[in-house]
Amino acid sequence: MHYTLLQFLVLLFVAFMLILLAQKVKISYPIFLVLAGLGISYIPGIPAMSIDPEVIFLIFLPPLLYEAAWYTSWNDFWKWRRPISLLAFGLVIITSLAVAFLTSSMIPGFTLAMGFLVGGIVSPPDAIAATSVLKNITVPKRITTILEGESLVNDASSLIVLRFALAAVITGQFSLSQATTDFFLSTVMGIVIGLAIAHVLYLIHRFLPTTASIDSALTLISPYFMYLAAEHFHYSGVMAVVTGGLFLSYRSHEIFIDGQSRLQAINVWATLTIILNAFVFILIGLELPIVMAGLEGYSLWEAVSYGLIISALVIVLRIAWIYPVTFLPRWLSKKVREREAHPGWKVPFVIGWAGMRGVVSLAAALSLPITTAANINFPHRNLIIFITFVVILVTLVFQGLTLPYIIKAIKVDEIDPVIPDEQQESAIKLRLLKVSLMALEEKYASEIEGVTLVSGLKKELENSLSHTSRRLESMECQAIENAEMEAYNDILKDIYKLQRQELHKIRREKNFSDEVIRKQEMQIDLSDTKIPQNKKVLTAS
């Protein structure tokens, strides 16, 4: 037990070091982890790493889906619901069908049900892989919104396909009409269960005297409650987690009524997701030699060729699908043409090329049972897992490494009217200051006159209001040049650095409480995070 725990801890430590190295060399960390894991697995003396397939979904899937749902903008999701739905449901079904017919005709001994199994596994792209590649690149907001929204929903549709295909492989029976009915029932009931549990958790957060630590702990167990409840009744646990996460995220301003709860929950989830993602992506590389050793009845070249052909199919199919679903609605509907800016050919191509596979495909493949209900080996299990590994490697490494260069080469410009983040932040701050001053003058008029601290607060708010108004006007008139803004931000960062150094001296003097010093340090950190980070711009200006 101690040795196994040590293995996992060493693996996580190596993964973290690799993430830091990936950031240093400016390569998407999922790509780096997969390649590094594959290389590490061939080092002499490295023990074989594997995980029980029965716990893959339970450990990794609920929190990763919940976190993705939590940070999804409902307004953006709803605005682009048509392309998201056509990719998340339409493309998943089309990909599953195409892969099913291809594999059943190409691979000896493969049935149509097994083909659907492979199709359900490799059909959903991974948002983590795509957004990590696009992290330091300026691309149109429409692209990131559609990719994140698609990944949030397509996990559910692909895993429902996987569930029915798995049942067909085990039982040998499959009915398309029954599967279609069960698909919609599983989806709808998963949504209902997710919303029901989310409402219960909302009431607990909202009306019971919770603390910041309890709030964070509740958010950690929430996705597991949703997933297990839906799966217990044989409905979609994925849809339960996604819808429950979206609901609670939308109500987060009522759940976390103080800043400490919100900041603590954000930090806890940031830590958890980096651990889970690091472990899963490096596991992709580490598990591959084990699967290769179990390819019974197939040569390595045959297995690689199957994986490469299927990889080519899913890449080409995605690009072929994206253009009709982008332009047909525009041709058929005048409202769409009036409401949405023309995307051109570049935006659909980037969305099509960003279909990297990752965590969900790996988890789905590794979750296949080792034996069937009749206690015989699950047919072609290692081959299916190996094909999945090849598809992940090809799409993640090939598409992931080339995507930034493609974006740079074709010069993708913003196509929708988007207000710059700094201008939005200033406009929001202006409204908050106005509300604060109004409340102060209406509710605390006597205190303003009689209490020095309150009158000082009023002057401080007025000064902030005046400064923010001037800054917003300057932004709108474009009076502040980028170089001046960068210089201003650099000065602020230098000031915060000096303040941290001074806090360190104060701590060494031992005249002030550490708790008070930490609070001041947090205030500096919060102010520091408001300074916009410079991004590497690869678009035409």
Side-chain angles (χ1 to χ4, degrees), residues 33-255:
L33 287 177
V34 169
L35 294 176
L38 185 58
I40 291 170
S41 66
Y42 285 103
I43 297 176
I46 295 294
M49 294 292 297
S50 61
I51 190 168
D52 187 347
E54 294 183 2
V55 299
I56 285 286
F57 276 166
L58 183 59
I59 291 178
F60 295 103
L61 212 56
L64 290 176
L65 289 171
Y66 189 80
E67 194 259 354
W70 189 272
Y71 288 107
T72 296
S73 167
W74 175 252
N75 291 332
D76 291 338
F77 182 88
W78 186 252
K79 178 180 179 180
W80 299 110
R81 62 191 180 278
R82 188 192 69 256
I84 288 172
S85 299
L86 289 170
L87 287 169
F89 291 102
L91 183 57
V92 163
I93 294 172
I94 292 295
T95 303
S96 299
L97 284 169
V99 171
F101 284 106
L102 175 66
T103 53
S104 61
S105 61
M106 177 178 65
I107 303 176
F110 242 62
T111 64
L112 197 60
M114 290 179 191
F116 273 110
L117 195 64
V118 178
I121 291 171
V122 302
S123 57
D126 180 47
I128 296 166
T131 53
S132 66
V133 171
L134 299 173
K135 183 178 180 181
N136 297 317
I137 306 172
T138 301
V139 294
K141 183 175 175 59
R142 187 188 301 194
I143 291 177
T144 54
T145 300
I146 291 175
L147 288 175
E148 290 173 358
E150 174 202 3
S151 180
L152 192 64
V153 183
N154 68 10
D155 294 341
S157 56
S158 64
L159 294 176
I160 293 172
V161 171
L162 173 67
R163 171 188 289 177
F164 294 129
L166 186 60
V169 171
I170 294 174
T171 63
Q173 298 177 352
F174 180 78
S175 168
L176 182 60
S177 60
Q178 184 63 38
T180 304
T181 302
D182 291 344
F183 179 91
F184 287 105
L185 180 63
S186 179
T187 300
V188 171
M189 291 307 298
I191 292 172
V192 170
I193 291 174
L195 288 175
I197 294 176
H199 275 84
V200 174
L201 292 166
Y202 165 77
L203 293 175
I204 293 173
H205 279 289
R206 184 75 174 82
F207 297 109
L208 293 182
T210 59
T211 63
S213 297
I214 292 176
D215 281 334
S216 299
L218 283 173
T219 64
L220 288 177
I221 63 176
S222 296
Y224 292 103
F225 275 135
M226 297 168 188
Y227 184 84
L228 289 172
E231 290 294 322
H232 175 75
F233 295 104
H234 306 291
Y235 300 128
S236 175
V238 174
M239 286 305 299
V241 172
V242 168
T243 52
L246 284 171
F247 173 82
L248 290 175
S249 172
Y250 188 74
R251 297 279 189 170
S252 61
H253 64 288
E254 300 174 49
I255 293 174

Side-chain angles (χ1 to χ4, degrees), residues 211-345:
T211 63
S213 297
I214 292 176
D215 281 334
S216 299
L218 283 173
T219 64
L220 288 177
I221 63 176
S222 296
Y224 292 103
F225 275 135
M226 297 168 188
Y227 184 84
L228 289 172
E231 290 294 322
H232 175 75
F233 295 104
H234 306 291
Y235 300 128
S236 175
V238 174
M239 286 305 299
V241 172
V242 168
T243 52
L246 284 171
F247 173 82
L248 290 175
S249 172
Y250 188 74
R251 297 279 189 170
S252 61
H253 64 288
E254 300 174 49
I255 293 174
F256 301 129
I257 58 174
D258 61 74
Q260 185 179 356
S261 293
R262 187 183 302 277
L263 287 172
Q264 183 165 318
I266 289 172
N267 291 329
V268 167
W269 272 97
T271 304
L272 177 65
T273 51
I274 195 66
I275 289 174
L276 293 177
N277 281 310
F279 186 79
V280 170
F281 278 111
I282 200 170
L283 187 66
I284 294 175
L286 287 172
E287 283 247 356
L288 188 56
I290 302 171
V291 176
M292 289 167 57
L295 288 175
E296 299 175 358
Y298 300 95
S299 67
L300 181 60
W301 169 245
E302 286 177 322
V304 170
S305 63
Y306 295 149
L308 291 176
I309 292 171
I310 294 171
S311 300
L313 174 66
V314 298
I315 292 173
V316 172
L317 196 61
R318 181 176 176 85
I319 295 174
W321 176 264
I322 193 71
Y323 282 99
V325 301
T326 300
F327 293 112
L328 275 176
R330 296 187 61 83
W331 295 336
L332 298 174
S333 172
K334 183 180 179 181
K335 289 183 179 179
V336 173
R337 291 193 298 271
E338 293 174 347
R339 188 172 61 246
E340 299 175 8
H342 196 289
W345 68 270

Side-chain angles (χ1 to χ4, degrees), residues 11-25 27 29 32-37 40 282:
L11 180 62
L12 281 175
F13 178 78
V14 171
F16 295 151
M17 295 302 102
L18 290 171
I19 291 173
L20 294 177
L21 182 59
Q23 292 175 343
K24 184 72 175 178
V25 298
I27 293 178
Y29 80 84
F32 207 79
L33 287 177
V34 169
L35 294 176
I40 291 170
I282 200 170

Side-chain angles (χ1 to χ4, degrees), residues 333-365:
S333 172
K334 183 180 179 181
K335 289 183 179 179
V336 173
R337 291 193 298 271
E338 293 174 347
R339 188 172 61 246
E340 299 175 8
H342 196 289
W345 68 270
K346 298 176 182 179
V347 169
F349 185 80
V350 172
I351 294 174
W353 196 253
M356 287 83 78
R357 273 61 179 176
V359 173
V360 173
S361 293
L362 174 70

